[in-house]
Amino acid sequence: MSWKKLPTIISIALTRALLLAIFFALCGCSLFNSNNINSRDFTVLVTSSDPQVRVAQQQWQVQQGTDSYALEVVVERGADYWRWIMLNNLGQRLATAEAVDGQVRIERLHSHPANQLLPALIQAWQLSYWPLMDLQAANPRWGFIDGDGRREARFSGILRASIEYQSTTANPWQGSLSYNTQELRLLIHSQPLN
């Protein structure tokens, strides 16, 4: 090997290494800031037929298998937008999700097991707090039974989630509920802020 070619070889190697580093950095950003929060069969709703703006501070107790942790979720829902801010028990913001102008945007800020469950958690929130007619209109394969402080969500006739409201008022935004699926159990206490 000629000593004259060494600077060229080093330059090419450094350029390739830099390009690979940029590629992996961009791939990492797209994985952690992905806007794809729809599950295989549930499309996240971006609007609501309820004209009242709802703002609430919610304490969530999440249990998946043997893992259990507490979250604080601050939510705001209007007729044509919603915002969802998830905090850990130390008050650090873990993720922010919002639907504005018909688009869902999501930002994951800190590593936490709840970030892996984000699609399921937002689905649970919408199945629990969205007006029944909005849920039914979103996908005809979903069916709902609602009454006596209970809501069942079925997909193609199969029970996917059951929600038990423990609130003494007719307003689910004030009070507690339990949300149960085969994979996930949530206890949510909601306190309106408006």
Short mmCIF file of all heavy atoms in Angstrom, two decimals, residues 41-109:
data_model
loop_
_atom_site.label_atom_id
_atom_site.label_comp_id
_atom_site.label_asym_id
_atom_site.label_seq_id
_atom_site.Cartn_x
_atom_site.Cartn_y
_atom_site.Cartn_z
N ASP A 41 -56.64 -2.90 14.61
CA ASP A 41 -58.08 -2.84 14.34
C ASP A 41 -58.80 -1.64 14.96
O ASP A 41 -59.99 -1.51 14.84
CB ASP A 41 -58.75 -4.12 14.82
CG ASP A 41 -58.38 -4.47 16.25
OD1 ASP A 41 -58.00 -3.57 17.01
OD2 ASP A 41 -58.46 -5.65 16.60
N PHE A 42 -58.06 -0.77 15.63
CA PHE A 42 -58.67 0.41 16.24
C PHE A 42 -58.00 1.65 15.69
O PHE A 42 -56.79 1.81 15.85
CB PHE A 42 -58.54 0.38 17.76
CG PHE A 42 -59.17 1.56 18.45
CD1 PHE A 42 -60.53 1.62 18.67
CD2 PHE A 42 -58.39 2.63 18.86
CE1 PHE A 42 -61.11 2.71 19.30
CE2 PHE A 42 -58.95 3.73 19.48
CZ PHE A 42 -60.32 3.77 19.71
N THR A 43 -58.76 2.49 15.06
CA THR A 43 -58.24 3.75 14.55
C THR A 43 -58.48 4.82 15.61
O THR A 43 -59.60 5.03 16.04
CB THR A 43 -58.94 4.15 13.24
OG1 THR A 43 -58.75 3.09 12.30
CG2 THR A 43 -58.38 5.43 12.69
N VAL A 44 -57.42 5.49 16.01
CA VAL A 44 -57.53 6.54 17.01
C VAL A 44 -58.40 7.65 16.46
O VAL A 44 -58.20 8.13 15.35
CB VAL A 44 -56.13 7.06 17.39
CG1 VAL A 44 -56.24 8.26 18.30
CG2 VAL A 44 -55.32 5.97 18.04
N LEU A 45 -59.39 8.06 17.25
CA LEU A 45 -60.31 9.12 16.82
C LEU A 45 -59.65 10.47 16.99
O LEU A 45 -58.89 10.70 17.93
CB LEU A 45 -61.59 9.05 17.64
CG LEU A 45 -62.35 7.72 17.57
CD1 LEU A 45 -63.53 7.74 18.52
CD2 LEU A 45 -62.82 7.45 16.16
N VAL A 46 -59.95 11.39 16.07
CA VAL A 46 -59.35 12.72 16.15
C VAL A 46 -60.38 13.79 16.49
O VAL A 46 -60.01 14.93 16.79
CB VAL A 46 -58.60 13.08 14.85
CG1 VAL A 46 -57.40 12.17 14.67
CG2 VAL A 46 -59.51 13.03 13.65
N THR A 47 -61.66 13.46 16.45
CA THR A 47 -62.71 14.42 16.78
C THR A 47 -63.69 13.79 17.76
O THR A 47 -63.65 12.60 18.02
CB THR A 47 -63.48 14.87 15.52
OG1 THR A 47 -64.11 13.73 14.93
CG2 THR A 47 -62.56 15.54 14.51
N SER A 48 -64.58 14.62 18.26
CA SER A 48 -65.61 14.17 19.19
C SER A 48 -66.90 14.92 18.90
O SER A 48 -66.86 16.10 18.55
CB SER A 48 -65.17 14.43 20.63
OG SER A 48 -66.23 14.20 21.52
N SER A 49 -68.01 14.25 19.05
CA SER A 49 -69.30 14.92 18.85
C SER A 49 -69.72 15.72 20.08
O SER A 49 -70.67 16.50 20.00
CB SER A 49 -70.39 13.89 18.51
OG SER A 49 -70.55 12.99 19.59
N ASP A 50 -69.01 15.55 21.19
CA ASP A 50 -69.30 16.30 22.40
C ASP A 50 -68.73 17.71 22.25
O ASP A 50 -67.51 17.88 22.17
CB ASP A 50 -68.66 15.60 23.60
CG ASP A 50 -68.96 16.29 24.93
OD1 ASP A 50 -69.67 17.31 24.95
OD2 ASP A 50 -68.44 15.79 25.95
N PRO A 51 -69.58 18.75 22.20
CA PRO A 51 -69.06 20.10 21.98
C PRO A 51 -68.35 20.70 23.21
O PRO A 51 -67.60 21.65 23.08
CB PRO A 51 -70.31 20.90 21.64
CG PRO A 51 -71.42 20.17 22.31
CD PRO A 51 -71.03 18.72 22.29
N GLN A 52 -68.58 20.11 24.39
CA GLN A 52 -67.98 20.64 25.61
C GLN A 52 -66.49 20.28 25.67
O GLN A 52 -66.11 19.14 25.43
CB GLN A 52 -68.68 20.09 26.84
CG GLN A 52 -68.13 20.64 28.14
CD GLN A 52 -68.92 20.13 29.34
OE1 GLN A 52 -69.96 19.51 29.20
NE2 GLN A 52 -68.40 20.41 30.52
N VAL A 53 -65.67 21.27 25.99
CA VAL A 53 -64.24 21.02 26.19
C VAL A 53 -64.09 20.32 27.54
O VAL A 53 -64.61 20.80 28.56
CB VAL A 53 -63.44 22.33 26.14
CG1 VAL A 53 -61.99 22.07 26.51
CG2 VAL A 53 -63.54 22.97 24.77
N ARG A 54 -63.40 19.20 27.53
CA ARG A 54 -63.15 18.44 28.76
C ARG A 54 -61.66 18.50 29.08
O ARG A 54 -60.83 18.20 28.24
CB ARG A 54 -63.54 16.98 28.59
CG ARG A 54 -64.94 16.74 28.09
CD ARG A 54 -65.93 16.86 29.18
NE ARG A 54 -67.27 16.48 28.70
CZ ARG A 54 -68.29 16.32 29.48
NH1 ARG A 54 -68.17 16.49 30.78
NH2 ARG A 54 -69.46 16.01 28.98
N VAL A 55 -61.34 18.90 30.30
CA VAL A 55 -59.95 18.92 30.77
C VAL A 55 -59.95 18.17 32.09
O VAL A 55 -60.76 18.46 32.97
CB VAL A 55 -59.44 20.37 30.96
CG1 VAL A 55 -57.98 20.36 31.41
CG2 VAL A 55 -59.61 21.19 29.69
N ALA A 56 -59.02 17.23 32.23
CA ALA A 56 -58.99 16.44 33.46
C ALA A 56 -57.56 16.04 33.79
O ALA A 56 -56.71 15.89 32.92
CB ALA A 56 -59.85 15.19 33.32
N GLN A 57 -57.34 15.87 35.09
CA GLN A 57 -56.10 15.30 35.60
C GLN A 57 -56.46 13.89 36.05
O GLN A 57 -57.40 13.71 36.84
CB GLN A 57 -55.58 16.13 36.76
CG GLN A 57 -54.29 15.64 37.34
CD GLN A 57 -53.78 16.57 38.42
OE1 GLN A 57 -54.36 17.61 38.71
NE2 GLN A 57 -52.68 16.18 39.04
N GLN A 58 -55.72 12.91 35.55
CA GLN A 58 -56.07 11.52 35.83
C GLN A 58 -54.87 10.78 36.41
O GLN A 58 -53.74 10.96 35.96
CB GLN A 58 -56.54 10.82 34.54
CG GLN A 58 -57.76 11.48 33.95
CD GLN A 58 -58.24 10.81 32.66
OE1 GLN A 58 -57.47 10.18 31.94
NE2 GLN A 58 -59.52 10.96 32.37
N GLN A 59 -55.14 9.96 37.42
CA GLN A 59 -54.13 9.06 37.97
C GLN A 59 -54.43 7.68 37.41
O GLN A 59 -55.55 7.18 37.56
CB GLN A 59 -54.18 9.02 39.50
CG GLN A 59 -53.67 10.28 40.16
CD GLN A 59 -54.67 11.41 40.14
OE1 GLN A 59 -55.86 11.21 40.30
NE2 GLN A 59 -54.19 12.62 39.92
N TRP A 60 -53.43 7.08 36.78
CA TRP A 60 -53.58 5.76 36.17
C TRP A 60 -52.71 4.77 36.91
O TRP A 60 -51.53 5.03 37.17
CB TRP A 60 -53.14 5.79 34.71
CG TRP A 60 -54.03 6.55 33.77
CD1 TRP A 60 -54.65 7.74 34.00
CD2 TRP A 60 -54.36 6.18 32.44
NE1 TRP A 60 -55.35 8.14 32.89
CE2 TRP A 60 -55.19 7.19 31.91
CE3 TRP A 60 -54.03 5.11 31.64
CZ2 TRP A 60 -55.71 7.15 30.63
CZ3 TRP A 60 -54.53 5.06 30.35
CH2 TRP A 60 -55.36 6.06 29.86
N GLN A 61 -53.27 3.62 37.24
CA GLN A 61 -52.50 2.50 37.75
C GLN A 61 -52.54 1.44 36.65
O GLN A 61 -53.60 0.92 36.32
CB GLN A 61 -53.10 1.96 39.06
CG GLN A 61 -52.28 0.87 39.70
CD GLN A 61 -50.92 1.35 40.17
OE1 GLN A 61 -50.78 2.45 40.69
NE2 GLN A 61 -49.91 0.53 39.95
N VAL A 62 -51.39 1.17 36.04
CA VAL A 62 -51.30 0.27 34.89
C VAL A 62 -50.74 -1.06 35.35
O VAL A 62 -49.73 -1.10 36.06
CB VAL A 62 -50.38 0.87 33.80
CG1 VAL A 62 -50.29 -0.05 32.60
CG2 VAL A 62 -50.84 2.26 33.40
N GLN A 63 -51.39 -2.14 34.93
CA GLN A 63 -50.88 -3.47 35.23
C GLN A 63 -50.89 -4.29 33.96
O GLN A 63 -51.93 -4.44 33.30
CB GLN A 63 -51.71 -4.16 36.30
CG GLN A 63 -51.14 -5.50 36.70
CD GLN A 63 -51.90 -6.12 37.87
OE1 GLN A 63 -52.80 -5.51 38.44
NE2 GLN A 63 -51.53 -7.32 38.21
N GLN A 64 -49.72 -4.78 33.59
CA GLN A 64 -49.58 -5.67 32.45
C GLN A 64 -48.74 -6.85 32.89
O GLN A 64 -47.55 -6.69 33.20
CB GLN A 64 -48.94 -4.96 31.26
CG GLN A 64 -48.85 -5.86 30.04
CD GLN A 64 -48.11 -5.21 28.90
OE1 GLN A 64 -47.17 -4.47 29.12
NE2 GLN A 64 -48.52 -5.52 27.69
N GLY A 65 -49.35 -8.01 32.96
CA GLY A 65 -48.64 -9.18 33.49
C GLY A 65 -48.24 -8.92 34.93
O GLY A 65 -49.05 -8.53 35.76
N THR A 66 -46.95 -9.07 35.22
CA THR A 66 -46.47 -8.83 36.59
C THR A 66 -45.98 -7.40 36.78
O THR A 66 -45.63 -7.02 37.89
CB THR A 66 -45.32 -9.80 36.92
OG1 THR A 66 -44.26 -9.61 35.97
CG2 THR A 66 -45.80 -11.25 36.89
N ASP A 67 -45.94 -6.62 35.70
CA ASP A 67 -45.50 -5.22 35.79
C ASP A 67 -46.65 -4.32 36.20
O ASP A 67 -47.77 -4.45 35.71
CB ASP A 67 -44.95 -4.73 34.45
CG ASP A 67 -43.69 -5.47 34.02
OD1 ASP A 67 -42.96 -5.95 34.92
OD2 ASP A 67 -43.45 -5.58 32.82
N SER A 68 -46.36 -3.40 37.11
CA SER A 68 -47.35 -2.45 37.57
C SER A 68 -46.66 -1.12 37.83
O SER A 68 -45.56 -1.09 38.39
CB SER A 68 -48.01 -2.96 38.86
OG SER A 68 -48.98 -2.06 39.31
N TYR A 69 -47.28 -0.04 37.40
CA TYR A 69 -46.72 1.29 37.63
C TYR A 69 -47.81 2.33 37.59
O TYR A 69 -48.90 2.11 37.05
CB TYR A 69 -45.60 1.62 36.64
CG TYR A 69 -45.89 1.24 35.22
CD1 TYR A 69 -46.55 2.10 34.38
CD2 TYR A 69 -45.50 0.00 34.73
CE1 TYR A 69 -46.84 1.75 33.07
CE2 TYR A 69 -45.78 -0.36 33.43
CZ TYR A 69 -46.44 0.52 32.61
OH TYR A 69 -46.74 0.17 31.32
N ALA A 70 -47.49 3.48 38.18
CA ALA A 70 -48.43 4.60 38.26
C ALA A 70 -48.05 5.66 37.23
O ALA A 70 -46.87 5.89 36.98
CB ALA A 70 -48.42 5.19 39.66
N LEU A 71 -49.07 6.28 36.68
CA LEU A 71 -48.89 7.37 35.73
C LEU A 71 -49.82 8.51 36.08
O LEU A 71 -50.89 8.29 36.67
CB LEU A 71 -49.21 6.93 34.30
CG LEU A 71 -48.39 5.81 33.69
CD1 LEU A 71 -49.01 5.34 32.40
CD2 LEU A 71 -46.96 6.28 33.47
N GLU A 72 -49.44 9.69 35.71
CA GLU A 72 -50.31 10.87 35.78
C GLU A 72 -50.58 11.24 34.33
O GLU A 72 -49.65 11.36 33.52
CB GLU A 72 -49.58 12.00 36.50
CG GLU A 72 -50.40 13.23 36.69
CD GLU A 72 -51.14 13.22 38.02
OE1 GLU A 72 -50.82 12.40 38.89
OE2 GLU A 72 -52.03 14.05 38.15
N VAL A 73 -51.84 11.40 33.97
CA VAL A 73 -52.19 11.75 32.60
C VAL A 73 -53.07 12.99 32.65
O VAL A 73 -54.09 13.01 33.34
CB VAL A 73 -52.92 10.59 31.88
CG1 VAL A 73 -53.24 10.97 30.44
CG2 VAL A 73 -52.07 9.33 31.91
N VAL A 74 -52.64 14.04 31.96
CA VAL A 74 -53.43 15.26 31.85
C VAL A 74 -54.02 15.27 30.45
O VAL A 74 -53.28 15.13 29.47
CB VAL A 74 -52.57 16.51 32.10
CG1 VAL A 74 -53.40 17.78 31.97
CG2 VAL A 74 -51.90 16.43 33.47
N VAL A 75 -55.34 15.39 30.38
CA VAL A 75 -56.03 15.28 29.09
C VAL A 75 -56.89 16.50 28.84
O VAL A 75 -57.41 17.13 29.76
CB VAL A 75 -56.90 14.00 29.03
CG1 VAL A 75 -56.04 12.76 29.12
CG2 VAL A 75 -57.94 13.99 30.13
N GLU A 76 -57.02 16.81 27.56
CA GLU A 76 -57.93 17.87 27.12
C GLU A 76 -58.56 17.39 25.82
O GLU A 76 -57.86 16.94 24.92
CB GLU A 76 -57.18 19.17 26.89
CG GLU A 76 -58.08 20.30 26.42
CD GLU A 76 -57.33 21.61 26.21
OE1 GLU A 76 -56.09 21.62 26.33
OE2 GLU A 76 -57.99 22.60 25.90
N ARG A 77 -59.88 17.48 25.75
CA ARG A 77 -60.58 17.07 24.54
C ARG A 77 -61.64 18.10 24.18
O ARG A 77 -62.48 18.44 25.00
CB ARG A 77 -61.25 15.71 24.73
CG ARG A 77 -61.83 15.17 23.41
CD ARG A 77 -62.78 14.05 23.60
NE ARG A 77 -64.02 14.59 24.18
CZ ARG A 77 -64.96 13.87 24.77
NH1 ARG A 77 -64.80 12.57 24.91
NH2 ARG A 77 -66.04 14.42 25.24
N GLY A 78 -61.55 18.59 22.96
CA GLY A 78 -62.57 19.46 22.40
C GLY A 78 -63.25 18.72 21.25
O GLY A 78 -62.99 17.54 21.02
N ALA A 79 -64.10 19.43 20.53
CA ALA A 79 -64.82 18.78 19.43
C ALA A 79 -63.88 18.39 18.28
O ALA A 79 -64.09 17.35 17.65
CB ALA A 79 -65.93 19.70 18.91
N ASP A 80 -62.86 19.18 18.02
CA ASP A 80 -62.01 18.90 16.86
C ASP A 80 -60.52 18.75 17.22
O ASP A 80 -59.66 18.89 16.36
CB ASP A 80 -62.18 19.99 15.80
CG ASP A 80 -61.86 21.38 16.34
OD1 ASP A 80 -61.63 21.51 17.56
OD2 ASP A 80 -61.84 22.32 15.54
N TYR A 81 -60.22 18.47 18.47
CA TYR A 81 -58.82 18.25 18.89
C TYR A 81 -58.80 17.51 20.21
O TYR A 81 -59.80 17.44 20.92
CB TYR A 81 -58.08 19.59 19.04
CG TYR A 81 -58.47 20.34 20.30
CD1 TYR A 81 -57.74 20.22 21.47
CD2 TYR A 81 -59.62 21.13 20.33
CE1 TYR A 81 -58.12 20.89 22.62
CE2 TYR A 81 -60.01 21.80 21.46
CZ TYR A 81 -59.25 21.67 22.61
OH TYR A 81 -59.65 22.31 23.75
N TRP A 82 -57.66 16.94 20.53
CA TRP A 82 -57.40 16.43 21.88
C TRP A 82 -55.90 16.46 22.14
O TRP A 82 -55.09 16.43 21.23
CB TRP A 82 -57.98 15.04 22.11
CG TRP A 82 -57.56 13.95 21.17
CD1 TRP A 82 -58.26 13.51 20.09
CD2 TRP A 82 -56.37 13.14 21.24
NE1 TRP A 82 -57.57 12.49 19.48
CE2 TRP A 82 -56.41 12.24 20.17
CE3 TRP A 82 -55.28 13.11 22.10
CZ2 TRP A 82 -55.40 11.31 19.93
CZ3 TRP A 82 -54.27 12.18 21.86
CH2 TRP A 82 -54.35 11.29 20.79
N ARG A 83 -55.56 16.53 23.43
CA ARG A 83 -54.17 16.48 23.90
C ARG A 83 -54.09 15.51 25.07
O ARG A 83 -54.98 15.49 25.92
CB ARG A 83 -53.70 17.86 24.37
CG ARG A 83 -53.40 18.78 23.25
CD ARG A 83 -52.85 20.12 23.73
NE ARG A 83 -52.84 21.06 22.63
CZ ARG A 83 -53.88 21.81 22.27
NH1 ARG A 83 -55.01 21.75 22.94
NH2 ARG A 83 -53.79 22.62 21.24
N TRP A 84 -52.99 14.80 25.13
CA TRP A 84 -52.80 13.75 26.12
C TRP A 84 -51.35 13.81 26.57
O TRP A 84 -50.44 13.56 25.77
CB TRP A 84 -53.10 12.43 25.42
CG TRP A 84 -53.41 11.25 26.24
CD1 TRP A 84 -54.60 10.94 26.82
CD2 TRP A 84 -52.53 10.15 26.53
NE1 TRP A 84 -54.52 9.73 27.44
CE2 TRP A 84 -53.25 9.23 27.28
CE3 TRP A 84 -51.21 9.88 26.22
CZ2 TRP A 84 -52.71 8.05 27.73
CZ3 TRP A 84 -50.65 8.70 26.68
CH2 TRP A 84 -51.40 7.80 27.43
N ILE A 85 -51.10 14.18 27.83
CA ILE A 85 -49.74 14.31 28.35
C ILE A 85 -49.57 13.27 29.45
O ILE A 85 -50.32 13.26 30.43
CB ILE A 85 -49.48 15.72 28.90
CG1 ILE A 85 -49.67 16.75 27.78
CG2 ILE A 85 -48.08 15.81 29.50
CD1 ILE A 85 -49.71 18.18 28.27
N MET A 86 -48.59 12.40 29.28
CA MET A 86 -48.35 11.31 30.22
C MET A 86 -47.09 11.60 31.02
O MET A 86 -46.04 11.88 30.45
CB MET A 86 -48.22 9.99 29.46
CG MET A 86 -48.05 8.78 30.32
SD MET A 86 -48.13 7.23 29.37
CE MET A 86 -46.67 7.37 28.33
N LEU A 87 -47.21 11.55 32.36
CA LEU A 87 -46.10 11.82 33.28
C LEU A 87 -45.84 10.59 34.14
O LEU A 87 -46.77 9.85 34.47
CB LEU A 87 -46.45 12.99 34.20
CG LEU A 87 -46.98 14.27 33.53
CD1 LEU A 87 -47.62 15.17 34.57
CD2 LEU A 87 -45.87 14.98 32.81
N ASN A 88 -44.58 10.40 34.54
CA ASN A 88 -44.31 9.32 35.49
C ASN A 88 -44.60 9.79 36.91
O ASN A 88 -45.02 10.93 37.12
CB ASN A 88 -42.86 8.80 35.33
CG ASN A 88 -41.81 9.81 35.71
OD1 ASN A 88 -42.08 10.86 36.31
ND2 ASN A 88 -40.57 9.52 35.35
N ASN A 89 -44.35 8.93 37.90
CA ASN A 89 -44.69 9.30 39.27
C ASN A 89 -43.75 10.37 39.85
O ASN A 89 -43.98 10.86 40.94
CB ASN A 89 -44.72 8.06 40.17
CG ASN A 89 -43.42 7.30 40.15
OD1 ASN A 89 -42.51 7.58 39.36
ND2 ASN A 89 -43.32 6.29 41.00
N LEU A 90 -42.70 10.75 39.12
CA LEU A 90 -41.83 11.85 39.54
C LEU A 90 -42.20 13.16 38.84
O LEU A 90 -41.53 14.18 39.05
CB LEU A 90 -40.36 11.51 39.23
CG LEU A 90 -39.80 10.28 39.93
CD1 LEU A 90 -38.40 9.98 39.43
CD2 LEU A 90 -39.83 10.45 41.43
N GLY A 91 -43.23 13.13 38.01
CA GLY A 91 -43.67 14.33 37.31
C GLY A 91 -42.93 14.60 36.01
O GLY A 91 -43.13 15.64 35.40
N GLN A 92 -42.08 13.67 35.55
CA GLN A 92 -41.39 13.83 34.28
C GLN A 92 -42.34 13.49 33.14
O GLN A 92 -43.02 12.46 33.19
CB GLN A 92 -40.17 12.92 34.18
CG GLN A 92 -39.07 13.24 35.14
CD GLN A 92 -37.97 12.20 35.06
OE1 GLN A 92 -38.22 11.00 35.09
NE2 GLN A 92 -36.73 12.66 34.98
N ARG A 93 -42.34 14.32 32.12
CA ARG A 93 -43.21 14.06 30.97
C ARG A 93 -42.59 12.92 30.16
O ARG A 93 -41.47 12.99 29.70
CB ARG A 93 -43.34 15.32 30.12
CG ARG A 93 -44.37 15.18 29.03
CD ARG A 93 -44.81 16.50 28.47
NE ARG A 93 -43.71 17.39 28.15
CZ ARG A 93 -43.53 17.94 26.95
NH1 ARG A 93 -44.36 17.70 25.98
NH2 ARG A 93 -42.51 18.75 26.75
N LEU A 94 -43.37 11.85 29.98
CA LEU A 94 -42.92 10.69 29.24
C LEU A 94 -43.30 10.78 27.77
O LEU A 94 -42.54 10.38 26.90
CB LEU A 94 -43.52 9.41 29.83
CG LEU A 94 -43.19 9.13 31.29
CD1 LEU A 94 -43.98 7.93 31.79
CD2 LEU A 94 -41.70 8.92 31.46
N ALA A 95 -44.51 11.27 27.52
CA ALA A 95 -45.00 11.35 26.14
C ALA A 95 -46.10 12.39 26.04
O ALA A 95 -46.80 12.67 27.02
CB ALA A 95 -45.53 9.99 25.68
N THR A 96 -46.22 12.93 24.86
CA THR A 96 -47.32 13.84 24.54
C THR A 96 -47.92 13.35 23.24
O THR A 96 -47.20 13.06 22.29
CB THR A 96 -46.80 15.29 24.34
OG1 THR A 96 -46.17 15.71 25.55
CG2 THR A 96 -47.93 16.23 24.01
N ALA A 97 -49.23 13.24 23.22
CA ALA A 97 -49.94 12.88 21.99
C ALA A 97 -51.03 13.90 21.79
O ALA A 97 -51.63 14.39 22.76
CB ALA A 97 -50.52 11.48 22.09
N GLU A 98 -51.27 14.26 20.54
CA GLU A 98 -52.34 15.21 20.27
C GLU A 98 -52.90 14.97 18.89
O GLU A 98 -52.21 14.46 18.01
CB GLU A 98 -51.84 16.65 20.41
CG GLU A 98 -50.79 17.07 19.42
CD GLU A 98 -50.34 18.50 19.60
OE1 GLU A 98 -51.00 19.27 20.32
OE2 GLU A 98 -49.32 18.86 19.00
N ALA A 99 -54.15 15.33 18.74
CA ALA A 99 -54.82 15.30 17.44
C ALA A 99 -55.26 16.72 17.14
O ALA A 99 -56.07 17.29 17.88
CB ALA A 99 -56.01 14.36 17.47
N VAL A 100 -54.69 17.29 16.10
CA VAL A 100 -55.02 18.65 15.68
C VAL A 100 -55.14 18.64 14.17
O VAL A 100 -54.30 18.05 13.48
CB VAL A 100 -53.92 19.65 16.12
CG1 VAL A 100 -54.24 21.06 15.67
CG2 VAL A 100 -53.73 19.62 17.63
N ASP A 101 -56.18 19.29 13.65
CA ASP A 101 -56.40 19.36 12.21
C ASP A 101 -56.46 17.98 11.56
O ASP A 101 -55.94 17.76 10.47
CB ASP A 101 -55.33 20.22 11.52
CG ASP A 101 -55.33 21.66 12.01
OD1 ASP A 101 -56.42 22.16 12.35
OD2 ASP A 101 -54.24 22.26 12.07
N GLY A 102 -57.05 17.02 12.27
CA GLY A 102 -57.23 15.68 11.72
C GLY A 102 -55.98 14.82 11.71
O GLY A 102 -56.00 13.71 11.19
N GLN A 103 -54.90 15.29 12.30
CA GLN A 103 -53.64 14.53 12.34
C GLN A 103 -53.27 14.22 13.78
O GLN A 103 -53.41 15.06 14.65
CB GLN A 103 -52.51 15.34 11.71
CG GLN A 103 -52.70 15.66 10.25
CD GLN A 103 -52.61 14.42 9.38
OE1 GLN A 103 -51.74 13.58 9.60
NE2 GLN A 103 -53.50 14.29 8.43
N VAL A 104 -52.77 13.01 14.00
CA VAL A 104 -52.30 12.62 15.32
C VAL A 104 -50.78 12.76 15.33
O VAL A 104 -50.10 12.26 14.45
CB VAL A 104 -52.71 11.18 15.66
CG1 VAL A 104 -52.11 10.74 17.00
CG2 VAL A 104 -54.22 11.04 15.68
N ARG A 105 -50.28 13.46 16.33
CA ARG A 105 -48.84 13.63 16.52
C ARG A 105 -48.47 13.08 17.89
O ARG A 105 -49.21 13.27 18.84
CB ARG A 105 -48.45 15.10 16.43
CG ARG A 105 -48.62 15.67 15.06
CD ARG A 105 -48.10 17.10 15.00
NE ARG A 105 -48.87 17.80 13.99
CZ ARG A 105 -49.77 18.74 14.23
NH1 ARG A 105 -50.01 19.13 15.45
NH2 ARG A 105 -50.44 19.30 13.26
N ILE A 106 -47.32 12.45 17.94
CA ILE A 106 -46.89 11.87 19.20
C ILE A 106 -45.40 12.15 19.41
O ILE A 106 -44.63 12.16 18.47
CB ILE A 106 -47.17 10.36 19.22
CG1 ILE A 106 -46.85 9.77 20.57
CG2 ILE A 106 -46.41 9.63 18.16
CD1 ILE A 106 -47.41 8.39 20.75
N GLU A 107 -45.05 12.42 20.65
CA GLU A 107 -43.66 12.68 21.01
C GLU A 107 -43.35 11.88 22.27
O GLU A 107 -43.98 12.07 23.31
CB GLU A 107 -43.46 14.17 21.26
CG GLU A 107 -42.06 14.55 21.63
CD GLU A 107 -41.92 16.04 21.93
OE1 GLU A 107 -42.94 16.71 22.21
OE2 GLU A 107 -40.79 16.52 21.89
N ARG A 108 -42.40 10.97 22.16
CA ARG A 108 -41.94 10.20 23.31
C ARG A 108 -40.67 10.86 23.83
O ARG A 108 -39.72 11.04 23.09
CB ARG A 108 -41.69 8.76 22.89
CG ARG A 108 -42.95 8.01 22.53
CD ARG A 108 -42.60 6.62 21.98
NE ARG A 108 -43.77 5.83 21.72
CZ ARG A 108 -44.40 5.76 20.55
NH1 ARG A 108 -43.96 6.48 19.53
NH2 ARG A 108 -45.45 5.00 20.39
N LEU A 109 -40.65 11.19 25.13
CA LEU A 109 -39.56 12.00 25.67
C LEU A 109 -38.59 11.22 26.56
O LEU A 109 -37.41 11.52 26.58
CB LEU A 109 -40.12 13.18 26.44
CG LEU A 109 -40.97 14.09 25.56
CD1 LEU A 109 -41.84 14.99 26.39
CD2 LEU A 109 -40.08 14.90 24.65
#
